[in-house]
């Protein structure tokens, strides 16, 4: 099961506690970490990504930067995570190094299919379960939709939104290749 830690420094109290949390995730062997600090300036984000990349990484965890391919490339991160409505990964592949990883956020089965057709390496689908941070966007998508999304494509689909240690197995049973989250890894 692929584990995808999405960062949020605010509930932790800033960048220093976030780097400590990233260090713990690296030590635990989390497979991918998305640096998702949308409100930082480009300079601040570059500094954070470089610091995260300099941490001991005994398991070869891949780092992706949220929506900033330029920052990911400049810092030497392994990939970028894009919103569903962004430029297609296939277009970016013309200028990124071989093996650069593209994840795409998806909220419908159609978006998952488009992500695959556009050249994404994986999709993050959700919210699968209720989560307060997404309550304003409507009801959770549920395991049935997760199953539909995962079975519609060949790329890995990760479950996001309200995923806990207790319900992660249900996501995998529904076809998810893994789980993604913030509080799941920062809690």
């Amino acid at each position: 099961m692929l584990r995808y830690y999405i960062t949020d420094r605010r509930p932790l109290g800033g960048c220093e506690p976030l780097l400590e949390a990233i260090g713990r995730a690296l030590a635990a062997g989390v497979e991918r970490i998305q640096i998702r600090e949308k409100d930082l300036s480009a300079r601040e984000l570059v500094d954070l990504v470089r610091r995260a990349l300099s941490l001991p990484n005994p398991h070869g965890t891949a780092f992706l930067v949220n929506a900033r391919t330029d920052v990911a490339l400049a810092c030497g991160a392994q990939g970028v995570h894009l919103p569903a409505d962004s430029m297609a990964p296939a277009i970016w592949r013309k200028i990124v190094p071989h093996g650069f990883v593209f994840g795409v956020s998806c909220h419908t089965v159609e978006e998952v299919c488009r992500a695959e057709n556009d050249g994404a390496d994986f999709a993050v689908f959700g919210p699968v379960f209720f989560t307060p941070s997404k309550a304003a966007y409507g009801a959770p998508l549920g395991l049935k939709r997760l199953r539909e999304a995962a079975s519609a494509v060949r790329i890995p689909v990760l479950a996001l939104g309200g995923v806990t240690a207790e319900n992660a197995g249900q996501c995998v049973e529904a076809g998810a290749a893994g789980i993604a989250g913030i509080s799941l890894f920062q809690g």
Side-chain angles (χ1 to χ4, degrees):
M1 175 174 61
L2 182 68
R3 295 164 297 162
Y4 190 49
Y5 168 26
I6 301 168
T7 70
D8 184 356
R9 74 188 188 292
R10 292 172 307 216
L12 296 174
C15 288
E16 295 308 318
L18 174 60
L19 289 164
E20 292 172 13
I22 290 171
R24 288 189 299 275
L26 292 170
V30 168
E31 289 79 12
R32 293 182 183 154
I33 297 175
Q34 178 194 154
I35 306 290
R36 184 182 179 268
E37 304 301 325
K38 295 179 176 184
D39 61 325
L40 292 180
S41 70
R43 286 178 186 256
E44 292 168 325
L45 184 59
V46 164
D47 180 63
L48 177 61
V49 173
R50 285 184 173 157
R51 291 178 69 195
L53 286 167
S54 73
L55 294 171
N57 188 353
H59 302 283
T61 298
F63 280 90
L64 287 81
V65 178
N66 186 74
R68 294 295 306 262
T69 307
D70 58 336
V71 172
L73 288 170
C75 294
Q78 291 76 28
V80 68
H81 189 94
L82 301 171
D85 62 353
S86 67
M87 191 165 72
I91 296 170
W92 282 111
R93 289 203 191 276
K94 297 173 185 174
I95 63 168
V96 300
H98 178 73
F100 195 80
V101 178
F102 287 91
V104 176
S105 291
C106 300
H107 309 289
T108 66
V109 174
E110 294 76 21
E111 287 179 350
V112 172
C113 292
R114 185 173 65 222
E116 179 178 62
N117 291 335
D118 284 350
D121 295 296
F122 69 97
V124 175
F125 182 80
V128 175
F129 302 106
F130 174 79
T131 181
S133 65
K134 301 295 181 188
Y137 298 104
L141 300 171
L143 291 168
K144 181 179 180 222
R145 288 272 174 83
L146 173 62
R147 183 176 292 107
E148 292 169 4
S151 65
V153 294
R154 292 179 305 279
I155 62 171
V157 174
L158 308 182
L160 172 70
V163 178
T164 65
E166 292 75 30
N167 63 25
Q170 295 173 31
C171 297
V172 173
E173 288 172 15
I179 53 174
I182 298 171
S183 59
L184 180 64
F185 298 101
Q186 285 188 175

